[in-house]
Amino acid sequence: MATRTYNVISFGGRRLSGRSAFDNLKWRRGISLVELLIALAISAMLLTATAVAIDASFKSYRINQEQASLIQKARLAANRILANIRQTEAHAPYTTSLLANFAAGQTVTDTGIQMYDDAGTLTRYYLDATNQRLMMRTGSSTPRVLLEGVTNFSMTLEPMRSSTSIRTGGVYDLLSRATILLTVRTADNTVMNSETTGDQTVTISSSVMPRRNVW
């Protein structure tokens, strides 16, 4: 009968002999190539998912920044117009063809408004639809850009008659209430280029009554 001979192998100070030594070597082998590839694939998927989540978070932040910037600029422009309307007495539609309707007592909606202050200076706010700009012009000066990226600007004007006009049976010569509807979208000059992520749109609306005509 043949006799089996086993070598003696030492592991960490322990001496193992026979089949137990070879079994120990079997379980102490390294990671195979297949296992390594699987681990790398799982790691890549986790990193990709993390990157997508971070990118979505930053994009949401930039969109919020754009909208906040648009709202701030639109409110500043609207508040300036409302303040001028509130402090002046004589108002009229910007479009000449609507003057007769306003004088007849009809509520008109126009793309602008014109008004006179106490010094008789004419101030006009109107929409430049071609360039999508809200413009302001005082007297005969050069028009100035009040807001960029304006896709819609309308003024709804409700007329009223002054006490003199009521006594004489005249036309509607004063403004009772004005309502602004302003829509602005993302443009090169409305937000910083580093913040631009897409086409954001903001619409605001507000009404005002001239103090001198009401009180």
Side-chain angles (χ1 to χ4, degrees):
M1 182 176 181
T3 302
R4 293 184 179 180
T5 303
Y6 297 97
N7 296 326
V8 177
I9 303 175
S10 176
F11 289 98
R14 295 181 57 192
R15 296 176 61 84
L16 301 176
S17 61
R19 181 173 296 276
S20 61
F22 293 97
D23 291 341
N24 195 292
L25 281 175
K26 178 181 179 181
W27 291 108
R28 285 175 177 266
R29 65 185 177 83
I31 300 176
S32 66
L33 180 60
V34 175
E35 293 171 337
L36 180 61
L37 292 176
I38 293 175
L40 290 175
I42 294 175
S43 300
M45 288 188 293
L46 292 176
L47 290 175
T48 301
T50 303
V52 170
I54 293 175
D55 180 70
S57 177
F58 277 107
K59 185 175 182 180
S60 177
Y61 170 77
R62 290 193 296 268
I63 290 175
N64 290 336
Q65 288 292 98
E66 283 187 8
Q67 292 179 342
S69 177
L70 290 177
I71 291 174
Q72 181 181 18
K73 291 178 181 294
R75 283 181 175 176
L76 287 174
N79 288 340
R80 179 164 188 170
I81 299 174
L82 294 175
N84 276 13
I85 294 175
R86 188 180 294 111
Q87 296 169 4
T88 52
E89 182 178 3
H91 310 82
Y94 176 75
T95 305
T96 305
S97 60
L98 295 177
L99 292 175
N101 296 338
F102 184 80
Q106 299 179 16
T107 298
V108 298
T109 300
D110 199 0
T111 57
I113 186 174
Q114 52 185 344
M115 62 197 80
Y116 288 91
D117 59 15
D118 293 338
T121 303
L122 175 62
T123 301
R124 286 161 285 187
Y125 296 94
Y126 59 94
L127 174 65
D128 179 2
T130 303
N131 298 310
Q132 295 187 340
R133 294 174 175 175
L134 180 58
M135 308 297 295
M136 172 186 177
R137 186 175 185 181
T138 302
S140 58
S141 62
T142 303
R144 293 183 296 168
V145 178
L146 193 61
L147 185 61
E148 297 271 2
V150 179
T151 58
N152 179 53
F153 174 71
S154 63
M155 296 287 307
T156 301
L157 309 177
E158 303 175 21
M160 62 178 291
R161 291 193 294 176
S162 63
S163 57
T164 302
S165 180
I166 293 175
R167 289 195 303 268
T168 60
V171 298
Y172 288 76
D173 53 350
L174 296 179
L175 177 67
S176 172
R177 181 192 300 270
T179 302
I180 292 179
L181 182 63
L182 175 62
T183 301
V184 58
R185 67 170 180 81
T186 304
D188 292 339
N189 295 325
T190 56
V191 294
M192 296 176 58
N193 291 333
S194 60
E195 296 177 352
T196 303
T197 60
D199 190 6
Q200 307 299 322
T201 302
V202 171
T203 300
I204 63 172
S205 178
S206 185
S207 296
V208 62
M209 302 175 69
R211 292 176 179 174
R212 298 183 181 182
N213 299 349
V214 178
W215 305 102

